[in-house]
Structures are given as structure tokens and as C-alpha cells.
Amino acid sequence: MSETNLQDWVGRSATATETADGERATRLATLLGHDGDKAAPLFPLGHWLHFSEDDVPMSELGADGHAALGGFMPPVPLPRRMWAGSDLTFHAPILPGQSIERTTTIESITEKTGSTGPLCFVVLRHEITADGTLATTDGHTIVYREATEAPAGSAAKPPREDSPAPEGWDWVKSVRPNEVTLFRYSALTFNSHRIHYDYPYVTEVEGYPGLVTHGPLTATLLLDAFMSTHPEAVVREYRFTAKSPLFVNEQIHLVGRETEPGIHELQAIAPGGKTAIAATVTMKN
């Protein structure tokens, strides 16, 4: 795929330090429809509100709005990127005001060929400490793919029609993220990826039918729905895989069921019944 040996980037590490921000935590709570508490522990995925990859000078952003590749991240010669999934373990809560440090290591880089052409999977391991105590480990997989050619406006389509809530689950919650939801989440995470806010770009350049709902936003909505229906649960592990994209103003069914004691299967289901995100929650004993 490239004359550059991408494997030279495997094993590289970088460390960043911030202060856990209670204000950001309350804004995430507002986004999720809850009352915020600046003194409460961060939502289990609250570290995603910190350490933004796109927090670089404007001159260092790529055409898609993300930080350009070739520095810490390998110069993958494929221009389209998506969050493919995460494997998280929560060791200890993070409290507002604590010093949080994230050490990121590139664990693997795998080049494949799929039905849409070349793909490249980059797996990162984030270790987040709070005041020196390990709080979260986050295995984050990014997938890169080739660009798709889309004549101007040809990909633009209205949101897919709603479908009935699926049966056979212990609980179902339905949500419909709109443009304001996507804007607020991008602002909270300082995510400048244009597929989430630039309609001409996402439809005419990347070939999607509409603004793409952030994968981590959907994963956050899914975990929040689980925690809302299990208020006494303490989550130890959360694993999710993105199966297909979701788009702004589409109805998403968030569903879950217990598969064995302390283990729950979760899904975010797109219009038409297709699984957009498949996830597993394991609770602490």
C-alpha cells in the first residue's frame, strides 16, 4: 500500500496530562439529558472529553478536519477514517480536579483488503491515570479506507425511515440525535472531523448520505441507556464494535439484555433493523 514501512510506528508512545474537568462532565450530562454534578465522578467514558487528537494548530489539520497523519500517528495512505471500536476496562473512578495522564501506545497496524478495497487498522492502547492511580485502559481501533468518488450532491439522501422497536430485549430506549446533538458532542470533544458538521463535504466528498453520527457518541448513548436502566450497576468492562454508520436525525434503538449473570449484550440498531454498534458490558462483582 505504501513505500513507508508503517510497522516502524508500532510501539511508539506519547503521554499527555490534563486536569479532569467537572464543567465538561456536566455538559456531557446535559447532552445525555441528566442533571450534572461538577463534583461527581466522570461518566465512565468521560476521558474522551480530554486529550483531543485534533487539538493542534490549524496548519496541522488535514483536509478532513482531523490532525494530519505522519507525526505520532502513522502516515497511512488512505484518506477516510472511522472509529471502529473500543475495549475499555474501568479500574477506578476519575474525579473532577484530579490530574489525569494518558499514555498512548500504538499496539498494532494491520493492512487488509476488504469488499470496499484496501483497509488499515491501527490499534491504540490508552492508559489513563488519575492522581497516579490507574483509572481506565482503553483499547481503541481506528480503520482507514480509500476515498469514494461522489459526484456533487449525488450521495445526499433524507434520513432513513423509522422502524419498530425490536423485540426480544430486556429494555429498549429510542433516541434521535440531531444537528445540535452532533455539534455539541464535537465541541465537547474538540473533534473537528468534517463528516460530523460539514454537509457539502460529507455528501459530495466522502459520499455519505448525511452528517455522520459520531461512533463514540452512539457508544456513550448506549452505555448511558444501560446505566439508566441499571442504576446500581458498577461497570467494569465495556467493549463495542462499530458495524455500520448512523446519520443525523435517524432514530436509533438502544437495546440490551443479560446473557449471563453480570454480563449484558447491548446494541444500537439503525433504521431497518441493522446493527450499527454491538457491545458487551461486564459488571463488577
Side-chain angles (χ1 to χ4, degrees):
M1 289 173 54
S2 170
E3 295 182 1
T4 302
N5 185 2
L6 299 179
Q7 297 306 312
D8 290 344
W9 269 256
V10 175
R12 293 191 179 191
S13 293
T15 299
T17 303
E18 290 192 23
T19 299
D21 190 336
E23 185 65 35
R24 293 185 213 177
T26 59
R27 287 176 178 173
L28 177 62
T30 299
L31 180 66
L32 297 174
H34 308 310
D35 293 329
D37 181 352
K38 293 181 181 179
L42 270 61
F43 184 78
L45 305 176
H47 64 286
W48 287 348
L49 309 184
H50 300 78
F51 310 113
S52 172
E53 177 190 345
D54 296 334
D55 191 4
V56 299
M58 295 291 289
S59 61
E60 296 178 20
L61 292 174
D64 63 354
H66 263 318
L69 301 176
F72 173 71
M73 291 295 289
V76 177
L78 299 170
R80 304 292 180 252
R81 62 192 291 170
M82 295 294 288
W83 190 309
S86 287
D87 184 346
L88 300 114
T89 301
F90 307 108
H91 306 279
I94 299 174
L95 300 176
Q98 286 186 311
S99 175
I100 51 175
E101 181 176 274
R102 186 187 73 176
T103 298
T104 299
T105 303
I106 300 177
E107 283 203 329
S108 66
I109 300 172
T110 305
E111 299 177 74
K112 298 181 179 181
T113 300
S115 59
T116 59
L119 301 170
C120 185
F121 294 85
V122 178
V123 178
L124 307 175
R125 177 181 174 84
H126 305 294
E127 292 190 346
I128 298 95
T129 62
D131 284 348
T133 298
L134 181 63
T136 305
T137 54
D138 183 349
H140 174 196
T141 300
I142 304 169
V143 61
Y144 297 86
R145 61 176 178 82
E146 285 187 315
T148 54
E149 294 185 6
S154 65
K157 297 178 182 177
R160 291 171 288 187
E161 293 185 1
D162 294 351
S163 53
E167 299 180 351
W169 297 88
D170 295 343
W171 55 268
V172 178
K173 178 181 179 180
S174 300
V175 297
R176 191 186 304 275
N178 60 22
E179 291 86 350
V180 176
T181 314
L182 270 59
F183 166 80
R184 285 188 161 194
Y185 191 78
S186 287
L188 268 174
T189 55
F190 207 66
N191 182 341
S192 52
H193 198 180
R194 292 170 66 183
I195 64 173
H196 305 305
Y197 60 86
D198 188 336
Y199 187 80
Y201 172 84
V202 74
T203 57
E204 297 173 12
V205 177
E206 296 222 7
Y208 288 109
L211 298 177
V212 179
T213 301
H214 313 65
L217 169 59
T218 305
T220 297
L221 292 167
L222 186 57
L223 183 59
D224 178 66
F226 169 80
M227 294 176 66
S228 296
T229 56
H230 300 77
E232 303 303 319
V234 178
V235 177
R236 177 167 61 89
E237 295 177 348
Y238 181 47
R239 297 185 174 95
F240 70 88
T241 301
K243 300 287 189 179
S244 62
L246 292 160
F247 304 101
V248 70
N249 292 315
E250 290 189 334
Q251 184 183 66
I252 308 168
H253 295 304
L254 309 173
V255 300
R257 59 191 168 203
E258 188 172 40
T259 55
E260 56 184 279
I263 299 178
H264 295 252
E265 175 190 3
L266 311 183
Q267 288 187 19
I269 299 178
K274 188 173 183 179
T275 300
I277 286 184
T280 302
V281 164
T282 302
M283 295 187 292
K284 290 185 178 180
N285 296 328

